[in-house]
């Protein structure tokens, strides 16, 4: 219960007690006053009527007439006349009409009208005694009216008092409400500085303390952010040409060489600059560096023709241009243009073209290859190019041949979509330190029949090439939310959604409607993993996804992280539950870069998860860098604690 409610209830009880006490005392006073008035009225009537009866000289008929006249003109329950021997001479009684009084009031309020007596004398001779009792109906009606008036008055007083009390408490506790919001923000790893400082000393001290703490945490995040940006610039950028370097190229390649890559292959052009030593001797280091810059600009200009292309300086004399979805014919044309333009630059500096030249080795790669295969084949193609007159050589990959044709795959996948033939399979992300399962990673299988099943790695490349992957993801989201797997009840599960699917304008609207209808039916905790390539844009689209996920109790994770961003404040804004990167990426980071990165993630409560951990030696190396949550074959070797 909040402090506001506690204080409000306490003060309300206090106010109710006071008002009830005052109401009771007022009503009791009114009750006593009414009863006194009943006696006074009866006494006055008895006195005045006894004098009138004395003038009748004992005439019973005349006295009866006088008694009737008084009874009819007043509010009396009983008037009687008895002689000196207590023998009744005449009496008159009336019936009390209490129909207008609620029964509960009659139950709680009891009124007894007193009897007033007076002597009746005719001269010096005593005729008898006159007894008068007022009718209590009038008293009941008067008290009931008084009670209603008091209740309404005190009710209005209570209402006004409660409203005033509420306004006063809101004003007094407003700083505390802001402190509560600030504390909740800290729990969500948000940094909020409260600018409005309260006057109340206790609240003021708390606000200043919270502001100081949040400022320090934010300063830590900003320091880590700046340090990581500086380290990434040192680690990923070539100082001379401002191109990406070999380390970036290696860290980025897994995005292109994977099962669900957007591109199924392309061309990697490995370029070697021969004769650097001779060029330095002839024109000097500075002019050679300027030459490298101009050549780099040529590379970048041609690479821009292909989406998601990558240009990197691999070492002092070698460059690489990765061109996804580029055909061999187009790549050869590009290589010839690059060779021609660079040769003109070399000749313009009056360098010997026989000793100073570019060799271009073209390799047609496939998404199925690993990094080592791509680099070794590219180097081999470059070596072949150096022995050719044109200094250009094209080598094709052996992995480009598909076992099944595109049309056959298209038919199988379309049938699976129509028949909902996809099933979830899962493997685990494990915390090797605590030996606990961190979460289950969901993947897919395509089931044709009980004997024919295709794994994710078999059908998804074909689906990407056929343009059917987005339909598959829509299908599996429908399946996940509309018919959730009861076997996953009580667990935490993650599912990856690719860049292209999330970029489609209709995806957000579709997911919003799906979550609104079915998110409450999920029997497990869901984490949706989004590619860092999309998340680091930190635009309104990503923020809308984040808001949508939070609304329905879904958390966000990041995968394919290589620290490519120029600013890491998006991690603070979006606060993913974890970041996944290849094990090789984490192991290749310098101590300074990883320390700065850990400062950022620890500040905002983000876990780091290494993927593709296949050997125990790799796990040990990761643990030395304080990374304990892993995915990969090694998880099968860890004794999971139940």
């Amino acid at each position: 219960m909040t402090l506001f409610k506690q204080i409000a209830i306490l003060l309300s009880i206090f106010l109710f007690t006071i008002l009830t006490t005052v109401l009771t005392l007022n009503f009791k006073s009114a009750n006593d006053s009414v009863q006194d008035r009943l006696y006074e009225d009866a006494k006055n009537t008895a006195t005045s009527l006894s004098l009138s009866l004395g003038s009748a000289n004992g005439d019973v008929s005349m006295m009866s007439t006088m008694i009737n006249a008084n009874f009819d003109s007043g509010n009396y329950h009983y008037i009687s006349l008895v002689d000196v021997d207590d023998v009744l001479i005449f009496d008159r009684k009336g019936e009390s009409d209490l129909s207008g009084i609620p029964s509960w009031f009659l139950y709680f309020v009891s009124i007894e009208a007193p009897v007033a007596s007076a002597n009746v004398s005719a001269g010096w001779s005593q005729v008898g005694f006159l007894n008068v009792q007022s009718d209590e109906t009038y008293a009941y009606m008067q008290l009931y009216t008084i009670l209603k008036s008091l209740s309404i008055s005190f009710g209005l007083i209570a209402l006004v008092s409660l409203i005033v009390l509420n306004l006063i408490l809101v004003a007094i506790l407003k700083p505390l409400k802001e402190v509560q919001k600030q504390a909740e923000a800290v729990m969500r790893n948000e940094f909020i500085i409260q600018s409005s400082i309260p006057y109340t000393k206790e609240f003021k001290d708390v606000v200043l303390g919270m502001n100081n703490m949040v400022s320090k945490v934010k300063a830590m995040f900003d320091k880590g952010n700046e340090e990581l940006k500086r380290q990434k610039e040192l680690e990923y950028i070539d100082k001379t040409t401002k191109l990406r370097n070999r380390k970036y190229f290696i860290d980025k390649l897994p995005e292109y060489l994977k099962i669900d890559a957007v591109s199924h292959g392309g061309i990697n052009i490995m370029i070697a600059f021969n004769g650097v030593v001779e060029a330095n001797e002839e024109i000097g280091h500075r002019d050679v560096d300027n030459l490298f810059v101009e050549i780099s600009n040529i590379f970048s200009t041609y690479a821009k023709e292909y989406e998601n292309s990558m240009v990197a300086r691999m070492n002092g004399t070698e460059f690489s241009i990765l061109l996804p979805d580029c055909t061999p014919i187009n790549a050869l044309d590009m290589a010839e243009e690059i060779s021609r333009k660079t040769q003109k630059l070399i000749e313009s500096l009056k360098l010997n073209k026989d000793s100073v030249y570019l060799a271009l080795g073209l390799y047609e790669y496939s998404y199925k290859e690993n990094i080592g295969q791509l680099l070794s084949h590219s180097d081999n193609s470059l070596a072949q190019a150096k022995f050719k007159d044109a200094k250009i050589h094209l080598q094709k990959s052996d992995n480009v041949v598909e076992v099944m044709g595109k049309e056959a795959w298209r038919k199988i996948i379309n049938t699976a979509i129509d028949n909902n033939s996809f099933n979830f399979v899962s493997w685990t992300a494990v915390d090797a330190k605590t030996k606990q399962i961190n979460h289950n990673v969901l993947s897919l299988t395509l089931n044709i029949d009980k004997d024919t099943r295709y794994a994710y790695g078999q059908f998804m490349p074909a689906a990407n090439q056929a343009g059917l992957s987005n339909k598959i993801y829509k299908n599996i989201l429908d399946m996940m939310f509309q018919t959730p797997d009861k076997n996953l009840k009580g667990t935490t599960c993650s599912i990856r959604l690719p860049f292209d699917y999330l970029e489609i304008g209709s995806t957000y609207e579709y997911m919003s409607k799906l979550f609104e209808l079915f998110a409450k039916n999920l029997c497990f905790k869901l984490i949706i993993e989004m590619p860092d390539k999309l998340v680091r844009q930190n635009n309104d689209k990503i923020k809308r996804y984040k808001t949508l996920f939070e609304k329905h109790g879904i958390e966000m994770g990041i995968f394919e992280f290589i620290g490519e961003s120029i600013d890491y404040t998006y991690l603070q804004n979006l606060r993913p539950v974890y970041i996944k990167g290849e094990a090789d990426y984490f192991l290749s980071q310098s101590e300074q870069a990883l320390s700065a990165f850990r400062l950022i993630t620890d500040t905002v409560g983000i876990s780091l998860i290494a993927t593709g951990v296949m050997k125990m030696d790799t796990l040990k190396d990761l643990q030395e860098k304080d990374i304990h949550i892993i995915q990969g074959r090694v998880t099968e070797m860890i004794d999971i604690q139940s």
Side-chain angles (χ1 to χ4, degrees):
M1 185 182 294
T2 63
L3 179 61
F4 177 87
K5 289 182 179 179
Q6 292 181 45
I7 295 176
I9 290 173
L10 182 62
L11 292 179
S12 298
I13 292 174
F14 180 69
L15 177 64
F16 178 76
T17 302
I18 291 177
L19 291 177
T20 302
T21 302
V22 173
L23 176 64
T24 302
L25 292 175
N26 274 278
F27 183 75
K28 187 175 183 303
S29 176
N31 190 7
D32 294 341
S33 177
V34 167
Q35 296 217 39
D36 290 342
R37 184 176 175 184
L38 285 176
Y39 176 72
E40 291 296 329
D41 288 347
K43 184 178 179 181
N44 291 336
T45 299
T47 301
S48 61
L49 183 56
S50 64
L51 293 174
S52 299
L53 293 176
S55 63
N57 296 319
D59 186 344
V60 175
S61 176
M62 186 178 293
M63 287 190 294
S64 299
T65 301
M66 291 180 181
I67 290 173
N68 284 330
N70 271 273
F71 190 91
D72 292 335
S73 61
N75 294 306
Y76 303 105
H77 177 63
Y78 173 73
I79 298 178
S80 67
L81 178 62
V82 296
D83 60 16
V84 294
D85 296 324
D86 202 23
V87 177
L88 181 65
I89 299 174
F90 182 80
D91 68 343
R92 179 75 183 272
K93 291 183 180 180
E95 293 294 331
S96 298
D97 184 11
L98 300 176
S99 59
I101 310 299
S103 57
W104 62 265
F105 185 79
L106 296 174
Y107 179 81
F108 286 106
V109 179
S110 178
I111 299 177
E112 294 183 4
V115 178
S117 300
N119 292 324
V120 179
S121 301
W124 296 100
S125 176
Q126 185 173 352
V127 176
F129 300 95
L130 181 67
N131 300 312
V132 179
Q133 183 181 30
S134 297
D135 188 2
E136 64 270 14
T137 301
Y138 172 74
Y140 274 116
M141 291 294 295
Q142 191 174 17
L143 280 177
Y144 182 60
T145 302
I146 291 172
L147 180 62
K148 287 196 295 183
S149 299
L150 287 174
S151 299
I152 293 172
S153 300
F154 280 91
L156 291 174
I157 293 172
L159 179 61
V160 172
S161 300
L162 288 174
I163 292 173
V164 173
L165 175 63
N166 180 73
L167 295 175
I168 293 174
L169 285 178
V170 168
I172 293 176
L173 298 179
K174 183 178 180 181
L176 186 61
K177 189 70 174 177
E178 297 302 318
V179 171
Q180 181 187 4
K181 291 180 181 178
Q182 191 177 30
E184 291 173 348
V186 170
M187 293 176 65
R188 297 192 303 270
N189 300 303
E190 297 178 16
F191 306 140
I192 297 178
I193 302 295
Q194 191 175 159
S195 58
S196 178
I197 307 299
Y199 294 103
T200 306
K201 185 180 185 306
E202 290 81 358
F203 290 160
K204 181 178 180 181
D205 292 342
V206 172
V207 169
L208 292 176
M210 291 287 289
N211 282 350
N212 185 45
M213 181 189 70
V214 171
S215 297
K216 289 180 179 179
V217 175
K218 190 175 187 303
M220 290 172 60
F221 180 91
D222 292 339
K223 181 180 179 181
N225 186 29
E226 293 301 320
E227 178 64 19
L228 187 58
K229 287 193 290 184
R230 189 178 71 84
Q231 290 295 327
K232 287 306 173 186
E233 186 173 348
L234 293 174
E235 291 194 5
Y236 278 167
I237 304 297
D238 177 66
K239 292 181 180 179
T240 302
T241 63
K242 303 304 178 184
L243 293 176
R244 303 291 189 175
N245 59 18
R246 179 183 179 87
K247 187 177 188 317
Y248 176 85
F249 188 82
I250 299 298
D251 288 343
K252 188 73 172 175
L253 274 179
E255 182 179 322
Y256 300 85
L257 306 179
K258 61 177 184 176
I259 293 170
D260 55 353
V262 175
S263 168
H264 64 279
I267 300 293
N268 184 47
I269 305 177
M270 190 70 77
I271 305 169
F273 190 100
N274 291 273
V276 174
V277 175
E278 293 83 352
N280 282 329
E281 291 176 352
E282 292 187 38
I283 63 176
H285 289 283
R286 180 174 296 179
D287 287 341
V288 170
D289 286 344
N290 291 335
L291 176 61
F292 274 123
V293 171
E294 292 186 43
I295 290 175
S296 300
N297 291 335
I298 293 174
F299 296 161
S300 299
T301 299
Y302 281 99
K304 287 179 182 177
E305 297 177 8
Y306 291 87
E307 188 177 0
N308 299 319
S309 61
M310 182 166 47
V311 182
R313 187 176 185 180
M314 305 298 283
N315 55 45
T317 61
E318 292 186 354
F319 298 82
S320 183
I321 306 176
L322 190 75
L323 304 172
D325 295 324
C326 179
T327 64
I329 294 176
N330 291 337
L332 284 172
D333 290 341
M334 180 186 294
E336 291 173 0
E337 286 293 315
I338 290 174
S339 179
R340 182 178 59 80
K341 287 191 175 183
T342 54
Q343 196 61 38
K344 282 186 177 181
L345 282 175
I346 293 170
E347 292 174 357
S348 67
L349 295 173
K350 302 187 183 307
L351 295 171
N352 186 351
K353 64 179 181 179
D354 293 328
S355 59
V356 181
Y357 59 88
L358 262 63
L360 295 88
L362 285 68
Y363 174 63
E364 184 184 12
Y365 72 91
S366 165
Y367 70 93
K368 297 179 181 180
E369 298 179 61
N370 57 41
I371 295 174
Q373 290 173 325
L374 185 145
L375 292 178
S376 63
H377 287 305
S378 297
D379 288 337
N380 182 63
S381 179
L382 177 60
Q384 296 292 326
K386 293 178 181 179
F387 293 100
K388 293 195 173 183
D389 294 337
K391 305 303 181 186
I392 298 173
H393 176 73
L394 171 66
Q395 179 177 331
K396 294 189 177 184
S397 169
D398 295 331
N399 294 322
V400 296
V401 179
E402 297 288 346
V403 176
M404 190 183 300
K406 291 182 179 180
E407 288 304 317
W409 270 119
R410 184 188 296 273
K411 182 178 179 181
I412 290 173
I413 294 170
N414 275 321
T415 302
I417 293 173
D418 293 338
N419 298 332
N420 293 322
S421 300
F422 297 98
N423 282 337
F424 285 115
V425 293
S426 68
W427 65 91
T428 56
V430 175
D431 189 330
K433 185 176 183 180
T434 63
K435 300 187 185 304
Q436 299 284 337
I437 294 176
N438 185 270
H439 64 275
N440 296 305
V441 182
L442 299 182
S443 184
L444 294 173
T445 60
L446 190 161
N447 302 325
I448 301 299
D449 50 48
K450 64 180 181 179
D451 298 321
T452 307
R453 175 180 297 179
Y454 294 105
Y456 183 82
Q458 293 175 290
F459 70 82
M460 187 52 73
N464 284 328
Q465 295 178 42
L468 297 173
S469 59
N470 292 333
K471 287 186 177 181
I472 292 176
Y473 284 108
K474 182 177 181 297
N475 183 278
I476 64 173
L477 283 176
D478 279 339
M479 179 173 63
M480 174 180 288
F481 281 89
Q482 295 185 29
T483 56
D485 189 347
K486 301 302 181 182
N487 294 325
L488 299 174
K489 184 176 182 179
T491 65
T492 299
C493 300
S494 70
I495 185 168
R496 289 186 175 186
L497 295 181
F499 179 88
D500 285 355
Y501 179 64
L502 293 167
E503 273 283 273
I504 299 174
S506 60
T507 298
Y508 173 84
E509 300 300 330
Y510 163 73
M511 291 173 67
S512 181
K513 293 178 182 178
L514 183 68
F515 294 175
E516 193 70 36
L517 293 173
F518 301 106
K520 59 180 178 295
N521 297 332
L522 280 182
C523 55
F524 54 87
K525 183 178 180 181
L526 179 62
I527 303 171
I528 293 181
E529 297 181 6
M530 307 181 79
D532 185 59
K533 177 182 177 182
L534 178 67
V535 175
R536 67 172 179 261
Q537 295 176 6
N538 199 22
N539 54 25
D540 291 339
K541 178 182 290 185
I542 300 305
K543 292 173 183 176
R544 288 179 71 199
Y545 274 119
K546 174 65 175 177
T547 302
L548 175 64
F549 295 165
E550 287 181 340
K551 178 181 178 182
H552 298 286
I554 298 170
E555 293 186 322
M556 177 191 291
I558 294 177
F559 70 97
E560 291 183 346
F561 184 86
I562 62 167
E564 190 177 354
S565 178
I566 59 173
D567 190 357
Y568 298 89
T569 54
Y570 73 95
L571 296 177
Q572 175 190 339
N573 297 333
L574 300 176
R575 301 180 307 282
V577 66
Y578 57 68
I579 290 174
K580 289 183 178 180
E582 290 287 331
D584 290 341
Y585 164 74
F586 289 119
L587 294 176
S588 66
Q589 299 303 296
S590 66
E591 288 296 328
Q592 294 86 347
L594 191 57
S595 177
F597 186 44
R598 290 305 297 259
L599 183 60
I600 288 176
T601 56
D602 290 347
T603 301
V604 292
I606 302 173
S607 300
L608 298 182
I609 301 178
T611 60
V613 183
M614 301 300 178
K615 299 178 180 178
M616 289 300 296
D617 290 342
T618 304
L619 173 59
K620 291 177 181 178
D621 292 339
L622 287 168
Q623 289 181 315
E624 288 178 0
K625 291 181 175 288
D626 199 27
I627 297 174
H628 302 281
I629 306 176
I630 60 168
Q631 285 180 207
R633 192 175 301 161
V634 168
T635 58
E636 300 173 2
M637 308 176 194
I638 298 175
D639 184 18
I640 304 298
Q641 301 295 321
S642 58

